[in-house]
Amino acid sequence: MSHRTESTTETVLQSEQSVEQAWAIVLAAARTSKTLAGATQSSRFSLGPDGDLVPIPSSQSSALLTWQPGRGWRLDVSHDDPRHALIDLYLPVCSATAASPITVGHLGQSLDGFIATHAGESQYVTGEENLRHMHRMRALSDAIIVGAGTVAADDPLLTTRHVVGPSPLRVIYDPSRRLGDHYRVFRDDAADTIYVCGRSQARAGENRVGNAALVPVDDVAGNVDAAQLLKILHDRGCARVFVEGGGVTVSMFLEANLLDRLHVAVAPLVIGDGRPAIRLTPPASLRDCLRPRYRVFRMGGDMLFDCDLRGAAGHDDGSLGHPVLARVI
């Protein structure tokens, strides 16, 4: 083997190790935040040998993370640390608690703003790294929401498989009850599942659709009341909710001002026409359009925009320690 090949192999292995270490820290931060929700003082942590975060004295300089009451996690590793970008991306999600929950929407779209062709072909608009990102978000989330169109088009499992971590509660959003019970999410027992439809679509005494629990929610103009759905999930202890798709479902939560963050992965692909990503009631003036604070992360050939929608709502107080703009490329 040539010196160049040996060097390249070593670099790849080091990169993979950095990703594994960073992801272990993220998972530990997500677990630990649930025990720190009532803390009144800052605490500094390093990673213990068992994969959990362990508190360290403030005099030590080896801290990876600091928990800040009322603000969440702060990342203490330097920007040139190879683990920095991956940890930094997920810390806002890890910082959520029952008292301060988070709802994150996600879309993967082409350069010209489409998530699928008119025929519904969407696998894969974005690349492998964004697929892995979605599985990381599943692992960090207590519940994942997808619309009926996503289930009908892809018949997804909605479990965590491409990374280490738990699978979330699967929430199938189908206001008009168009889905049959033959889809995999209704037939397997890989994760708990609830099927949400309009109250007018539920029959008296009915409480199951396949293996999924049926949850009727009030109808609002032909749609389910998204705020009521979110409250149901919060009451079940779901502090981290991931609205994975598709465009109609994410747009509904966005228009109802129920998303705290929006992840939009943009792929170097031009579809020409198809199913649009986000569709909202347009404001009268461009100056009234949503212009959130954001960060940019490279994911293979795609670019992920991590949009802080609460920052756009006037809470420009440095919440969670994020600057107005930071590009991580």
Side-chain angles (χ1 to χ4, degrees):
M1 182 182 291
S2 69
H3 173 72
R4 175 177 295 181
T5 302
E6 291 175 350
S7 177
T8 301
T9 301
E10 183 178 353
T11 299
V12 170
L13 290 175
Q14 289 175 346
S15 177
E16 291 176 348
Q17 290 172 354
S18 295
V19 169
E20 290 178 2
Q21 292 172 7
W23 180 237
I25 294 168
V26 169
L27 287 175
R31 292 192 300 268
T32 306
S33 63
K34 296 181 179 181
T35 67
L36 294 172
T40 57
Q41 293 184 334
S42 295
S43 304
R44 305 175 78 229
F45 293 86
S46 63
L47 192 67
D50 59 355
D52 287 325
L53 292 180
V54 293
I56 60 174
S58 58
S59 58
Q60 289 189 17
S61 59
S62 58
L64 293 170
L65 299 169
T66 296
W67 178 262
Q68 305 169 104
R71 300 181 63 153
W73 290 112
R74 184 190 73 204
L75 182 57
D76 292 330
V77 301
S78 64
H79 282 269
D80 59 359
D81 189 303
R83 302 169 298 178
H84 185 283
L86 190 146
I87 300 172
D88 196 34
L89 170 59
Y90 297 108
L91 276 192
V93 182
C94 297
S95 296
T97 64
S100 182
I102 190 170
T103 303
V104 182
H106 175 275
L107 289 170
Q109 67 173 52
S110 62
L111 285 173
D112 50 349
F114 298 105
I115 60 173
T117 65
H118 280 302
E121 183 182 358
S122 62
Q123 296 183 333
Y124 292 94
V125 171
T126 53
E128 181 179 345
E129 287 301 318
N130 187 56
L131 176 64
R132 191 172 291 114
H133 165 65
M134 288 192 292
H135 280 252
R136 289 192 181 114
M137 285 298 300
R138 292 177 185 179
L140 295 177
S141 300
D142 301 307
I144 174 177
I145 301 174
V146 298
T150 297
V151 174
D154 301 334
D155 194 14
L157 287 170
L158 303 178
T159 53
T160 302
R161 301 183 306 282
H162 290 268
V163 298
V164 174
S167 292
L169 170 71
R170 302 180 295 193
V171 182
I172 312 305
Y173 166 77
D174 186 11
S176 60
R177 197 163 180 176
R178 55 182 277 201
L179 296 174
D181 63 2
H182 59 280
Y183 293 100
R184 293 188 290 179
V185 290
F186 301 130
R187 309 311 304 176
D188 68 21
D189 57 359
D192 290 340
T193 307
I194 64 175
Y195 179 55
V196 178
C197 69
R199 196 173 300 280
S200 62
Q201 303 296 321
R203 294 181 285 274
E206 186 182 24
N207 56 22
R208 308 291 297 181
V209 175
N211 291 337
L214 178 65
V215 178
V217 177
D218 293 340
D219 303 74
V220 178
N223 284 320
V224 158
D225 185 344
Q228 185 182 0
L229 169 56
L230 205 53
K231 182 180 185 305
I232 290 171
L233 295 178
H234 289 165
D235 289 346
R236 291 176 65 109
C238 298
R240 303 178 185 124
V241 177
F242 182 39
V243 187
E244 188 173 293
V248 172
T249 304
V250 172
S251 296
M252 179 192 70
F253 275 83
L254 182 59
E255 181 129 42
N257 195 30
L258 294 173
L259 294 182
D260 299 291
R261 305 188 83 88
L262 176 64
H263 290 177
V264 180
V266 181
L269 171 71
V270 176
I271 296 177
D273 199 3
R275 298 185 180 180
I278 295 172
R279 285 297 179 266
L280 306 174
T281 303
S285 171
L286 189 62
R287 72 179 62 186
D288 297 323
C289 292
L290 181 64
R291 193 183 294 271
R293 297 190 300 175
Y294 68 96
R295 304 178 298 165
V296 184
F297 294 81
R298 183 184 295 280
M299 287 193 167
D302 306 329
M303 304 301 294
L304 181 82
F305 285 77
D306 170 30
C307 302
D308 178 2
L309 302 179
R310 294 301 169 228
H315 304 294
D316 194 12
D317 58 357
S319 300
L320 302 176
H322 297 315
V324 172
L325 170 62
R327 287 193 175 120
V328 186
I329 300 177

